Amino acid sequence: MGVSEGTAEVVEFEPNRKEVFRGDFGPMKPTVTHQFDFSDGVTTFTRRIQIEVHGPMWLMQPLIGTMVKRRNAGFLVNLKRVLEQQ
């Protein structure tokens, strides 16, 4: 899919609970949240991606949303596969 260059920083961190990263990739500024919820011996993992788009990239926003959903689904399938291998 290609390589993106930019910066990212951790803007929120709660050990074993939540981590939030904010990135700056030129006209795209993603925020990625990973949250872990524990209840009755079960861990639920939620991954949320929000992207601010600026400049001419704004016209690509519907396509970017579709791409992010597809990549996020792939990420979660891979994560499940890795966790279940153990």
Side-chain angles (χ1 to χ4, degrees), residues 12-62:
E12 187 176 341
F13 181 72
E14 298 174 39
N16 300 316
R17 174 93 174 109
K18 185 177 186 180
E19 54 192 30
V20 180
F21 304 90
R22 188 162 299 136
D24 185 347
F25 297 88
M28 296 193 331
K29 310 224 182 303
T31 300
V32 179
T33 302
H34 294 156
Q35 186 156 341
F36 305 88
D37 295 303
F38 307 97
S39 178
D40 298 324
V42 175
T43 301
T44 302
F45 172 72
T46 304
R47 184 175 196 236
R48 181 180 328 173
I49 301 172
Q50 299 168 292
I51 300 179
E52 292 179 36
V53 183
H54 301 279
M57 288 294 289
W58 182 83
L59 297 171
M60 302 286 289
Q61 196 161 359

